[in-house]
Amino acid sequence: MFAISKREFFESFKGVKSIIIIAIFLMTAYFSTKFSDWLLFMNIDFTSQETELIHTFAISVLILVFGMLFTMGLSHDVMNREIHERTVRFLVTRTSRVSIIMGKFLGVVLFWFTCLLTSFLIISIFAHQFDVITFLQSLSLLVYYCACTLLLSVLISKPGFSMFLSMIIGIAFPIFNGWVFFTTNAWISWLKYLLPFYYVNDQDYRFMVIFLLAGVLLFIALKVFKRREC
């Protein structure tokens, strides 16, 4: 499992898409500190809680709006690439299907953890503080996105089709999630408890539920993969 996750981790850094995404994270982190320092310099009134959040606001928005798109765009073929190229048969003979799924998942999560941690460390240098709650909330969203991506890659066997769907889902997901969160329609509003945005609305520990939601998606992906012919 760890060999698979290590391989997937380093594979995630290859290619133009990964370089672009890493650059976006780093640039967002840098310019968010510059912009937030400018706001503070202008003596704009902020509450104590807003002052703590202002440095990490841009990164949080980036992950909320574009996190699913980035994750699926980069890793949509994390599983179906192996299935399409028939290399999964070699993996199945060497290790269990649980280890394959968990190894792939941990490798992708570790890549995004590294990108996120680097961004927050850059921000902490300028802000002289590390916003632990916002970091963990952002990490929980990325873990959820990775679980969704893995599930999509298991369900869709063709990388080309999964890439097309990943673009659609990546754009539609934050729009749908935001609509469900703000709607007053009782028939729809209950869906917010099944989606992650509801649990990062406040600076508290409700984000832990997102890890549970990601676990459910991962469990479904494992069940589907066990039934799939390799």
Side-chain angles (χ1 to χ4, degrees):
M1 181 177 73
F2 293 107
I4 294 173
S5 63
K6 180 181 177 181
R7 175 174 170 269
E8 193 61 41
F9 172 69
F10 287 110
E11 283 290 330
S12 297
F13 283 98
K14 296 180 180 179
V16 177
K17 289 190 294 185
S18 60
I19 295 174
I20 293 174
I21 290 173
I22 293 170
I24 291 173
F25 264 81
L26 296 179
M27 289 174 61
T28 303
Y30 177 76
F31 286 109
S32 67
T33 58
K34 293 297 183 181
F35 180 69
S36 58
D37 288 341
W38 178 79
L39 291 177
L40 294 173
F41 177 77
M42 295 298 292
N43 292 322
I44 299 175
D45 291 331
F46 293 106
T47 65
S48 58
Q49 186 178 22
E50 289 173 339
T51 303
E52 294 176 359
L53 296 176
I54 189 171
H55 289 90
T56 54
F57 176 76
I59 288 289
S60 301
V61 172
L62 179 70
I63 293 172
L64 282 171
V65 179
F66 298 107
M68 180 69 86
L69 182 63
F70 289 165
T71 308
M72 285 195 164
L74 184 63
S75 306
H76 67 91
D77 59 349
V78 62
M79 279 303 303
N80 60 25
R81 179 181 69 246
E82 304 282 1
I83 297 171
H84 184 71
E85 296 176 356
R86 304 294 184 182
T87 53
V88 72
R89 294 182 177 181
F90 173 76
L91 293 175
V92 169
T93 59
R94 295 289 183 128
T95 186
S96 67
R97 297 194 179 214
V98 175
S99 296
I100 295 173
I101 287 291
M102 292 304 299
K104 291 285 187 178
F105 176 71
L106 291 175
V108 175
V109 167
L110 186 58
F111 168 79
W112 289 105
F113 172 81
T114 303
C115 293
L116 184 66
L117 180 61
T118 303
S119 300
F120 269 75
L121 287 175
I122 292 174
I123 293 173
S124 67
I125 293 173
F126 293 92
H128 305 294
Q129 63 178 357
F130 190 93
D131 191 346
V132 178
I133 295 295
T134 304
F135 173 78
L136 292 176
Q137 286 181 330
S138 301
L139 179 62
S140 68
L141 287 172
L142 288 173
V143 170
Y144 179 89
Y145 298 153
C146 290
C148 288
T149 302
L150 185 65
L151 178 58
L152 175 70
S153 192
V154 171
L155 290 172
I156 307 298
S157 59
K158 295 182 179 180
F161 189 38
S162 65
M163 181 177 66
F164 173 72
L165 281 180
S166 69
M167 296 297 104
I168 296 176
I169 295 172
I171 295 172
F173 181 81
I175 298 173
F176 177 73
N177 208 324
W179 174 62
V180 169
F181 181 78
F182 290 108
T183 187
T184 56
N185 190 322
W187 293 96
I188 299 173
S189 61
W190 65 271
L191 289 173
K192 68 184 178 183
Y193 300 110
L194 302 178
L195 297 170
F197 286 10
Y198 173 77
Y199 300 102
V200 294
N201 186 46
D202 297 312
Q203 287 290 101
D204 54 28
Y205 289 93
R206 287 187 300 169
F207 68 86
M208 295 298 293
V209 177
I210 301 176
F211 289 111
L212 296 178
L213 295 175
V216 172
L217 295 174
L218 196 60
F219 177 77
I220 296 172
L222 178 60
K223 286 296 183 182
V224 173
F225 185 55
K226 282 184 175 181
R227 295 175 179 270
R228 180 179 288 278
E229 295 288 337
C230 295

PDB file of all heavy atoms in Angstrom, residues 149-177:
ATOM      1  N   THR A 149     -12.894  12.035  -6.442  1.00  0.00           N
ATOM      2  CA  THR A 149     -12.102  11.777  -7.639  1.00  0.00           C
ATOM      3  C   THR A 149     -11.809  10.289  -7.799  1.00  0.00           C
ATOM      4  O   THR A 149     -11.910   9.736  -8.900  1.00  0.00           O
ATOM      5  CB  THR A 149     -10.779  12.563  -7.577  1.00  0.00           C
ATOM      6  OG1 THR A 149     -11.065  13.963  -7.433  1.00  0.00           O
ATOM      7  CG2 THR A 149      -9.958  12.345  -8.828  1.00  0.00           C
ATOM      8  N   LEU A 150     -11.447   9.645  -6.701  1.00  0.00           N
ATOM      9  CA  LEU A 150     -11.164   8.216  -6.748  1.00  0.00           C
ATOM     10  C   LEU A 150     -12.411   7.418  -7.125  1.00  0.00           C
ATOM     11  O   LEU A 150     -12.355   6.488  -7.936  1.00  0.00           O
ATOM     12  CB  LEU A 150     -10.633   7.752  -5.391  1.00  0.00           C
ATOM     13  CG  LEU A 150     -10.179   6.299  -5.304  1.00  0.00           C
ATOM     14  CD1 LEU A 150      -8.961   6.069  -6.198  1.00  0.00           C
ATOM     15  CD2 LEU A 150      -9.856   5.906  -3.878  1.00  0.00           C
ATOM     16  N   LEU A 151     -13.551   7.805  -6.550  1.00  0.00           N
ATOM     17  CA  LEU A 151     -14.805   7.128  -6.869  1.00  0.00           C
ATOM     18  C   LEU A 151     -15.146   7.282  -8.349  1.00  0.00           C
ATOM     19  O   LEU A 151     -15.545   6.316  -9.013  1.00  0.00           O
ATOM     20  CB  LEU A 151     -15.933   7.679  -6.006  1.00  0.00           C
ATOM     21  CG  LEU A 151     -17.340   7.101  -6.254  1.00  0.00           C
ATOM     22  CD1 LEU A 151     -17.356   5.592  -6.068  1.00  0.00           C
ATOM     23  CD2 LEU A 151     -18.360   7.769  -5.340  1.00  0.00           C
ATOM     24  N   LEU A 152     -14.979   8.480  -8.877  1.00  0.00           N
ATOM     25  CA  LEU A 152     -15.236   8.717 -10.301  1.00  0.00           C
ATOM     26  C   LEU A 152     -14.326   7.862 -11.165  1.00  0.00           C
ATOM     27  O   LEU A 152     -14.766   7.272 -12.156  1.00  0.00           O
ATOM     28  CB  LEU A 152     -15.028  10.197 -10.635  1.00  0.00           C
ATOM     29  CG  LEU A 152     -15.148  10.577 -12.117  1.00  0.00           C
ATOM     30  CD1 LEU A 152     -16.596  10.469 -12.577  1.00  0.00           C
ATOM     31  CD2 LEU A 152     -14.620  11.992 -12.358  1.00  0.00           C
ATOM     32  N   SER A 153     -13.056   7.763 -10.778  1.00  0.00           N
ATOM     33  CA  SER A 153     -12.086   7.011 -11.563  1.00  0.00           C
ATOM     34  C   SER A 153     -12.354   5.513 -11.524  1.00  0.00           C
ATOM     35  O   SER A 153     -11.986   4.798 -12.456  1.00  0.00           O
ATOM     36  CB  SER A 153     -10.671   7.300 -11.048  1.00  0.00           C
ATOM     37  OG  SER A 153      -9.694   6.823 -11.942  1.00  0.00           O
ATOM     38  N   VAL A 154     -12.995   5.037 -10.458  1.00  0.00           N
ATOM     39  CA  VAL A 154     -13.367   3.625 -10.372  1.00  0.00           C
ATOM     40  C   VAL A 154     -14.633   3.349 -11.183  1.00  0.00           C
ATOM     41  O   VAL A 154     -14.752   2.314 -11.839  1.00  0.00           O
ATOM     42  CB  VAL A 154     -13.560   3.198  -8.898  1.00  0.00           C
ATOM     43  CG1 VAL A 154     -14.162   1.799  -8.816  1.00  0.00           C
ATOM     44  CG2 VAL A 154     -12.236   3.234  -8.160  1.00  0.00           C
ATOM     45  N   LEU A 155     -15.572   4.286 -11.138  1.00  0.00           N
ATOM     46  CA  LEU A 155     -16.841   4.104 -11.843  1.00  0.00           C
ATOM     47  C   LEU A 155     -16.685   4.207 -13.354  1.00  0.00           C
ATOM     48  O   LEU A 155     -17.345   3.490 -14.104  1.00  0.00           O
ATOM     49  CB  LEU A 155     -17.861   5.145 -11.361  1.00  0.00           C
ATOM     50  CG  LEU A 155     -18.393   4.986  -9.925  1.00  0.00           C
ATOM     51  CD1 LEU A 155     -19.239   6.190  -9.548  1.00  0.00           C
ATOM     52  CD2 LEU A 155     -19.211   3.705  -9.800  1.00  0.00           C
ATOM     53  N   ILE A 156     -15.823   5.127 -13.812  1.00  0.00           N
ATOM     54  CA  ILE A 156     -15.631   5.373 -15.248  1.00  0.00           C
ATOM     55  C   ILE A 156     -14.328   4.717 -15.683  1.00  0.00           C
ATOM     56  O   ILE A 156     -13.253   5.079 -15.211  1.00  0.00           O
ATOM     57  CB  ILE A 156     -15.598   6.884 -15.557  1.00  0.00           C
ATOM     58  CG1 ILE A 156     -16.822   7.581 -14.975  1.00  0.00           C
ATOM     59  CG2 ILE A 156     -15.494   7.117 -17.049  1.00  0.00           C
ATOM     60  CD1 ILE A 156     -18.139   7.097 -15.540  1.00  0.00           C
ATOM     61  N   SER A 157     -14.405   3.782 -16.586  1.00  0.00           N
ATOM     62  CA  SER A 157     -13.227   3.002 -16.968  1.00  0.00           C
ATOM     63  C   SER A 157     -12.354   3.683 -18.015  1.00  0.00           C
ATOM     64  O   SER A 157     -11.181   3.341 -18.161  1.00  0.00           O
ATOM     65  CB  SER A 157     -13.657   1.621 -17.483  1.00  0.00           C
ATOM     66  OG  SER A 157     -14.515   1.759 -18.607  1.00  0.00           O
ATOM     67  N   LYS A 158     -12.904   4.651 -18.747  1.00  0.00           N
ATOM     68  CA  LYS A 158     -12.146   5.304 -19.812  1.00  0.00           C
ATOM     69  C   LYS A 158     -11.618   6.655 -19.344  1.00  0.00           C
ATOM     70  O   LYS A 158     -12.391   7.540 -18.969  1.00  0.00           O
ATOM     71  CB  LYS A 158     -13.027   5.498 -21.050  1.00  0.00           C
ATOM     72  CG  LYS A 158     -13.469   4.189 -21.700  1.00  0.00           C
ATOM     73  CD  LYS A 158     -14.291   4.449 -22.947  1.00  0.00           C
ATOM     74  CE  LYS A 158     -14.704   3.136 -23.612  1.00  0.00           C
ATOM     75  NZ  LYS A 158     -15.516   3.367 -24.836  1.00  0.00           N
ATOM     76  N   PRO A 159     -10.289   6.849 -19.339  1.00  0.00           N
ATOM     77  CA  PRO A 159      -9.706   8.116 -18.880  1.00  0.00           C
ATOM     78  C   PRO A 159     -10.219   9.342 -19.625  1.00  0.00           C
ATOM     79  O   PRO A 159     -10.402  10.402 -19.029  1.00  0.00           O
ATOM     80  CB  PRO A 159      -8.199   7.910 -19.112  1.00  0.00           C
ATOM     81  CG  PRO A 159      -8.014   6.433 -19.075  1.00  0.00           C
ATOM     82  CD  PRO A 159      -9.262   5.852 -19.680  1.00  0.00           C
ATOM     83  N   GLY A 160     -10.451   9.211 -20.926  1.00  0.00           N
ATOM     84  CA  GLY A 160     -10.938  10.348 -21.698  1.00  0.00           C
ATOM     85  C   GLY A 160     -12.308  10.808 -21.247  1.00  0.00           C
ATOM     86  O   GLY A 160     -12.571  12.012 -21.149  1.00  0.00           O
ATOM     87  N   PHE A 161     -13.174   9.854 -20.955  1.00  0.00           N
ATOM     88  CA  PHE A 161     -14.527  10.181 -20.493  1.00  0.00           C
ATOM     89  C   PHE A 161     -14.501  10.731 -19.078  1.00  0.00           C
ATOM     90  O   PHE A 161     -15.242  11.659 -18.747  1.00  0.00           O
ATOM     91  CB  PHE A 161     -15.409   8.939 -20.570  1.00  0.00           C
ATOM     92  CG  PHE A 161     -16.868   9.223 -20.332  1.00  0.00           C
ATOM     93  CD1 PHE A 161     -17.465  10.377 -20.817  1.00  0.00           C
ATOM     94  CD2 PHE A 161     -17.651   8.328 -19.611  1.00  0.00           C
ATOM     95  CE1 PHE A 161     -18.811  10.641 -20.600  1.00  0.00           C
ATOM     96  CE2 PHE A 161     -18.999   8.576 -19.382  1.00  0.00           C
ATOM     97  CZ  PHE A 161     -19.578   9.739 -19.877  1.00  0.00           C
ATOM     98  N   SER A 162     -13.646  10.170 -18.217  1.00  0.00           N
ATOM     99  CA  SER A 162     -13.552  10.669 -16.840  1.00  0.00           C
ATOM    100  C   SER A 162     -12.989  12.091 -16.808  1.00  0.00           C
ATOM    101  O   SER A 162     -13.359  12.892 -15.958  1.00  0.00           O
ATOM    102  CB  SER A 162     -12.690   9.740 -15.980  1.00  0.00           C
ATOM    103  OG  SER A 162     -11.348   9.726 -16.418  1.00  0.00           O
ATOM    104  N   MET A 163     -12.092  12.411 -17.767  1.00  0.00           N
ATOM    105  CA  MET A 163     -11.576  13.773 -17.842  1.00  0.00           C
ATOM    106  C   MET A 163     -12.690  14.749 -18.206  1.00  0.00           C
ATOM    107  O   MET A 163     -12.797  15.842 -17.625  1.00  0.00           O
ATOM    108  CB  MET A 163     -10.447  13.858 -18.872  1.00  0.00           C
ATOM    109  CG  MET A 163      -9.835  15.246 -19.007  1.00  0.00           C
ATOM    110  SD  MET A 163      -8.453  15.320 -20.164  1.00  0.00           S
ATOM    111  CE  MET A 163      -9.285  14.959 -21.703  1.00  0.00           C
ATOM    112  N   PHE A 164     -13.531  14.353 -19.158  1.00  0.00           N
ATOM    113  CA  PHE A 164     -14.660  15.191 -19.562  1.00  0.00           C
ATOM    114  C   PHE A 164     -15.626  15.401 -18.391  1.00  0.00           C
ATOM    115  O   PHE A 164     -16.047  16.530 -18.109  1.00  0.00           O
ATOM    116  CB  PHE A 164     -15.383  14.539 -20.738  1.00  0.00           C
ATOM    117  CG  PHE A 164     -16.663  15.230 -21.138  1.00  0.00           C
ATOM    118  CD1 PHE A 164     -16.635  16.454 -21.787  1.00  0.00           C
ATOM    119  CD2 PHE A 164     -17.901  14.652 -20.862  1.00  0.00           C
ATOM    120  CE1 PHE A 164     -17.811  17.097 -22.154  1.00  0.00           C
ATOM    121  CE2 PHE A 164     -19.078  15.281 -21.224  1.00  0.00           C
ATOM    122  CZ  PHE A 164     -19.041  16.507 -21.870  1.00  0.00           C
ATOM    123  N   LEU A 165     -15.955  14.321 -17.691  1.00  0.00           N
ATOM    124  CA  LEU A 165     -16.868  14.424 -16.550  1.00  0.00           C
ATOM    125  C   LEU A 165     -16.253  15.219 -15.408  1.00  0.00           C
ATOM    126  O   LEU A 165     -16.954  15.937 -14.690  1.00  0.00           O
ATOM    127  CB  LEU A 165     -17.245  13.028 -16.050  1.00  0.00           C
ATOM    128  CG  LEU A 165     -18.318  12.272 -16.828  1.00  0.00           C
ATOM    129  CD1 LEU A 165     -18.569  10.911 -16.200  1.00  0.00           C
ATOM    130  CD2 LEU A 165     -19.620  13.073 -16.886  1.00  0.00           C
ATOM    131  N   SER A 166     -14.952  15.090 -15.219  1.00  0.00           N
ATOM    132  CA  SER A 166     -14.292  15.810 -14.129  1.00  0.00           C
ATOM    133  C   SER A 166     -14.393  17.315 -14.313  1.00  0.00           C
ATOM    134  O   SER A 166     -14.542  18.061 -13.339  1.00  0.00           O
ATOM    135  CB  SER A 166     -12.824  15.386 -14.021  1.00  0.00           C
ATOM    136  OG  SER A 166     -12.076  15.838 -15.138  1.00  0.00           O
ATOM    137  N   MET A 167     -14.329  17.773 -15.562  1.00  0.00           N
ATOM    138  CA  MET A 167     -14.468  19.202 -15.828  1.00  0.00           C
ATOM    139  C   MET A 167     -15.887  19.681 -15.489  1.00  0.00           C
ATOM    140  O   MET A 167     -16.070  20.731 -14.867  1.00  0.00           O
ATOM    141  CB  MET A 167     -14.154  19.499 -17.300  1.00  0.00           C
ATOM    142  CG  MET A 167     -12.731  19.198 -17.724  1.00  0.00           C
ATOM    143  SD  MET A 167     -11.483  20.203 -16.854  1.00  0.00           S
ATOM    144  CE  MET A 167     -10.827  18.988 -15.695  1.00  0.00           C
ATOM    145  N   ILE A 168     -16.874  18.894 -15.891  1.00  0.00           N
ATOM    146  CA  ILE A 168     -18.267  19.257 -15.622  1.00  0.00           C
ATOM    147  C   ILE A 168     -18.556  19.253 -14.125  1.00  0.00           C
ATOM    148  O   ILE A 168     -19.122  20.200 -13.574  1.00  0.00           O
ATOM    149  CB  ILE A 168     -19.217  18.289 -16.355  1.00  0.00           C
ATOM    150  CG1 ILE A 168     -19.052  18.431 -17.873  1.00  0.00           C
ATOM    151  CG2 ILE A 168     -20.674  18.562 -15.957  1.00  0.00           C
ATOM    152  CD1 ILE A 168     -19.880  17.445 -18.670  1.00  0.00           C
ATOM    153  N   ILE A 169     -18.145  18.170 -13.448  1.00  0.00           N
ATOM    154  CA  ILE A 169     -18.395  18.052 -12.011  1.00  0.00           C
ATOM    155  C   ILE A 169     -17.622  19.120 -11.246  1.00  0.00           C
ATOM    156  O   ILE A 169     -18.137  19.726 -10.299  1.00  0.00           O
ATOM    157  CB  ILE A 169     -18.001  16.650 -11.512  1.00  0.00           C
ATOM    158  CG1 ILE A 169     -18.901  15.591 -12.147  1.00  0.00           C
ATOM    159  CG2 ILE A 169     -18.104  16.567  -9.987  1.00  0.00           C
ATOM    160  CD1 ILE A 169     -18.471  14.168 -11.858  1.00  0.00           C
ATOM    161  N   GLY A 170     -16.373  19.370 -11.653  1.00  0.00           N
ATOM    162  CA  GLY A 170     -15.546  20.358 -10.971  1.00  0.00           C
ATOM    163  C   GLY A 170     -16.135  21.758 -11.013  1.00  0.00           C
ATOM    164  O   GLY A 170     -16.018  22.528 -10.054  1.00  0.00           O
ATOM    165  N   ILE A 171     -16.802  22.098 -12.124  1.00  0.00           N
ATOM    166  CA  ILE A 171     -17.442  23.416 -12.254  1.00  0.00           C
ATOM    167  C   ILE A 171     -18.803  23.439 -11.566  1.00  0.00           C
ATOM    168  O   ILE A 171     -19.166  24.407 -10.891  1.00  0.00           O
ATOM    169  CB  ILE A 171     -17.589  23.782 -13.746  1.00  0.00           C
ATOM    170  CG1 ILE A 171     -16.204  23.959 -14.383  1.00  0.00           C
ATOM    171  CG2 ILE A 171     -18.413  25.057 -13.917  1.00  0.00           C
ATOM    172  CD1 ILE A 171     -16.235  24.124 -15.890  1.00  0.00           C
ATOM    173  N   ALA A 172     -19.565  22.345 -11.724  1.00  0.00           N
ATOM    174  CA  ALA A 172     -20.938  22.310 -11.208  1.00  0.00           C
ATOM    175  C   ALA A 172     -21.001  22.111  -9.704  1.00  0.00           C
ATOM    176  O   ALA A 172     -21.937  22.601  -9.049  1.00  0.00           O
ATOM    177  CB  ALA A 172     -21.729  21.206 -11.908  1.00  0.00           C
ATOM    178  N   PHE A 173     -20.022  21.398  -9.128  1.00  0.00           N
ATOM    179  CA  PHE A 173     -20.105  21.030  -7.711  1.00  0.00           C
ATOM    180  C   PHE A 173     -20.190  22.246  -6.779  1.00  0.00           C
ATOM    181  O   PHE A 173     -21.084  22.303  -5.926  1.00  0.00           O
ATOM    182  CB  PHE A 173     -18.927  20.142  -7.321  1.00  0.00           C
ATOM    183  CG  PHE A 173     -18.968  19.704  -5.881  1.00  0.00           C
ATOM    184  CD1 PHE A 173     -19.768  18.646  -5.488  1.00  0.00           C
ATOM    185  CD2 PHE A 173     -18.213  20.358  -4.919  1.00  0.00           C
ATOM    186  CE1 PHE A 173     -19.813  18.244  -4.159  1.00  0.00           C
ATOM    187  CE2 PHE A 173     -18.248  19.966  -3.595  1.00  0.00           C
ATOM    188  CZ  PHE A 173     -19.051  18.900  -3.219  1.00  0.00           C
ATOM    189  N   PRO A 174     -19.278  23.230  -6.861  1.00  0.00           N
ATOM    190  CA  PRO A 174     -19.387  24.374  -5.947  1.00  0.00           C
ATOM    191  C   PRO A 174     -20.657  25.193  -6.165  1.00  0.00           C
ATOM    192  O   PRO A 174     -21.206  25.758  -5.209  1.00  0.00           O
ATOM    193  CB  PRO A 174     -18.134  25.200  -6.261  1.00  0.00           C
ATOM    194  CG  PRO A 174     -17.721  24.788  -7.620  1.00  0.00           C
ATOM    195  CD  PRO A 174     -18.111  23.344  -7.740  1.00  0.00           C
ATOM    196  N   ILE A 175     -21.135  25.253  -7.402  1.00  0.00           N
ATOM    197  CA  ILE A 175     -22.379  25.975  -7.685  1.00  0.00           C
ATOM    198  C   ILE A 175     -23.554  25.271  -7.033  1.00  0.00           C
ATOM    199  O   ILE A 175     -24.378  25.902  -6.342  1.00  0.00           O
ATOM    200  CB  ILE A 175     -22.603  26.093  -9.210  1.00  0.00           C
ATOM    201  CG1 ILE A 175     -21.466  26.888  -9.861  1.00  0.00           C
ATOM    202  CG2 ILE A 175     -23.957  26.745  -9.502  1.00  0.00           C
ATOM    203  CD1 ILE A 175     -21.522  26.908 -11.379  1.00  0.00           C
ATOM    204  N   PHE A 176     -23.640  23.967  -7.220  1.00  0.00           N
ATOM    205  CA  PHE A 176     -24.729  23.185  -6.616  1.00  0.00           C
ATOM    206  C   PHE A 176     -24.637  23.206  -5.093  1.00  0.00           C
ATOM    207  O   PHE A 176     -25.649  23.373  -4.402  1.00  0.00           O
ATOM    208  CB  PHE A 176     -24.658  21.744  -7.126  1.00  0.00           C
ATOM    209  CG  PHE A 176     -25.686  20.832  -6.512  1.00  0.00           C
ATOM    210  CD1 PHE A 176     -27.027  20.932  -6.880  1.00  0.00           C
ATOM    211  CD2 PHE A 176     -25.317  19.895  -5.555  1.00  0.00           C
ATOM    212  CE1 PHE A 176     -27.984  20.097  -6.304  1.00  0.00           C
ATOM    213  CE2 PHE A 176     -26.262  19.057  -4.979  1.00  0.00           C
ATOM    214  CZ  PHE A 176     -27.598  19.163  -5.355  1.00  0.00           C
ATOM    215  N   ASN A 177     -23.437  23.055  -4.563  1.00  0.00           N
ATOM    216  CA  ASN A 177     -23.243  23.060  -3.117  1.00  0.00           C
ATOM    217  C   ASN A 177     -23.653  24.395  -2.504  1.00  0.00           C
ATOM    218  O   ASN A 177     -24.306  24.443  -1.460  1.00  0.00           O
ATOM    219  CB  ASN A 177     -21.771  22.768  -2.793  1.00  0.00           C
ATOM    220  CG  ASN A 177     -21.603  22.113  -1.447  1.00  0.00           C
ATOM    221  OD1 ASN A 177     -22.305  22.409  -0.492  1.00  0.00           O
ATOM    222  ND2 ASN A 177     -20.646  21.216  -1.356  1.00  0.00           N
TER     223      ASN A 177
END
